[in-house]
């Protein structure tokens, strides 16, 4: 990938030498919706920089129950993947493409070295940690303090923002899985939102109107 292309999507990277190394060592890859980019319990070989599209970060317990943690859009990276790369640990999360998504994959070897070598890389990593911690706190607050109705509305808003669309394809079962709820409960609440003229439901699609 050309360094000017990288500079446009990641203006935070100010050192010319860093941009040259990103262009030289970064691996460009494109994933389709539903592709698993990071798998739980696998060692991380690359840190992903999101160029376009969006990714959802999921947490899974030992029983297979899942919950959505946050979304990543263009210009971002996953703080959890940075930790796994630098500590050479297995991943504790899943990262799944929400739509066609292009990444620049940075080999683990460079992730830690660039922290010492380039101030803009260090600032990017530290800001990513801070942003994702804030995301995680909002997710924790939603689970602990919000009703399922409110969690569903927040979920729909977050998904719309990540995809930059007010209409998207998703099943009620998928939403239930990501909110760790039942399909019946989600279907009931979506119908309630439709009756309030906040969404329009068609087969496997949701359109946000006034939400």
């Amino acid at each position: 990938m050309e360094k000017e292309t990288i500079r446009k999507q990641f203006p935070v990277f100010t050192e010319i030498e860093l941009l040259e190394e990103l262009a030289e060592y970064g691996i460009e890859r494109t994933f389709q919706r539903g592709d698993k980019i990071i798998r739980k319990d696998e060692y991380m070989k690359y840190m992903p920089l999101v160029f376009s599209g969006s990714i959802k970060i999921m947490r899974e317990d030992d029983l297979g129950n899942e919950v959505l943690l946050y979304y990543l859009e263009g210009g971002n990276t996953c703080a959890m993947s940075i930790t796994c790369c630098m500590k050479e640990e297995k991943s504790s999360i899943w990262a799944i493409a929400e739509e066609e998504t292009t990444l620049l994959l940075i080999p683990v070897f460079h992730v830690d070295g660039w922290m010492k070598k380039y101030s803009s890389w260090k600032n990017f990593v530290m800001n990513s940690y801070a942003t994702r911690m804030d995301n995680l706190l909002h997710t924790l607050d939603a689970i602990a303090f919000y009703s399922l109705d409110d969690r569903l509305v927040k979920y729909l808003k977050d998904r719309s923002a990540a995809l930059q669309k007010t209409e998207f394809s998703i099943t009620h079962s998928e939403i239930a899985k990501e909110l760790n709820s039942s399909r019946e409960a989600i279907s009931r609440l979506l119908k309630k939102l439709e009756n309030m003229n906040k969404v329009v439901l068609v087969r496997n699609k949701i359109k946000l109107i006034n939400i």
Side-chain angles (χ1 to χ4, degrees), residues 159-178:
R159 185 178 177 85
S160 177
L163 297 175
Q164 297 184 356
K165 299 176 182 177
T166 57
E167 182 175 348
F168 42 80
S169 298
I170 192 166
T171 67
H172 296 189
S173 294
E174 287 178 285
I175 297 174
K177 184 177 182 181
E178 294 180 9

Side-chain angles (χ1 to χ4, degrees), residues 34-59:
D35 286 350
K36 295 177 176 62
I37 299 167
I38 299 174
R39 297 173 181 270
K40 183 176 179 289
D41 293 329
E42 287 189 358
Y43 285 102
M44 297 286 298
K45 297 180 180 179
Y46 304 97
M47 169 182 153
L49 302 183
V50 184
F51 257 80
S52 63
S54 60
I55 298 170
K56 62 183 177 184
I57 306 299
M58 305 286 296
R59 175 77 168 164

Side-chain angles (χ1 to χ4, degrees), residues 132-143 145:
R132 298 314 149 201
M133 178 58 69
D134 189 54
N135 290 152
L136 289 173
L137 289 175
H138 281 297
T139 299
L140 179 60
D141 285 346
I143 293 172
F145 305 122

Side-chain angles (χ1 to χ4, degrees), residues 35-175:
D35 286 350
K36 295 177 176 62
I37 299 167
I38 299 174
R39 297 173 181 270
K40 183 176 179 289
D41 293 329
E42 287 189 358
Y43 285 102
M44 297 286 298
K45 297 180 180 179
Y46 304 97
M47 169 182 153
L49 302 183
V50 184
F51 257 80
S52 63
S54 60
I55 298 170
K56 62 183 177 184
I57 306 299
M58 305 286 296
R59 175 77 168 164
E60 182 183 60
D61 68 14
D62 293 336
L63 299 176
N65 299 310
E66 295 180 337
V67 65
L68 174 69
L69 298 182
Y70 51 79
Y71 290 101
L72 293 175
E73 303 88 38
N76 290 301
T77 190
C78 178
M80 291 185 175
S81 71
I82 300 171
T83 302
C84 292
C85 285
M86 296 174 73
K87 297 178 70 175
E88 298 184 358
E89 294 179 342
K90 292 181 179 180
S91 171
S92 60
I93 52 93
W94 292 84
I96 303 170
E98 275 291 270
E99 57 186 328
E100 183 175 282
T101 299
T102 299
L103 304 179
L104 189 66
L105 302 175
I106 308 304
V108 169
F109 174 78
H110 299 287
V111 174
D112 188 35
W114 289 348
M115 289 282 287
K116 305 179 184 70
K117 192 174 180 181
Y118 300 114
S119 61
S120 66
W121 177 262
K122 180 179 179 179
N123 290 337
F124 173 71
V125 169
M126 298 307 293
N127 287 335
S128 295
Y129 274 122
T131 300
R132 298 314 149 201
M133 178 58 69
D134 189 54
N135 290 152
L136 289 173
L137 289 175
H138 281 297
T139 299
L140 179 60
D141 285 346
I143 293 172
F145 305 122
Y146 292 9
S147 66
L148 184 57
D149 305 57
D150 293 333
R151 288 177 60 201
L152 176 59
V153 169
K154 179 181 183 300
Y155 171 88
L156 295 173
K157 288 181 176 179
D158 289 347
R159 185 178 177 85
S160 177
L163 297 175
Q164 297 184 356
K165 299 176 182 177
T166 57
E167 182 175 348
F168 42 80
S169 298
I170 192 166
T171 67
H172 296 189
S173 294
E174 287 178 285
I175 297 174

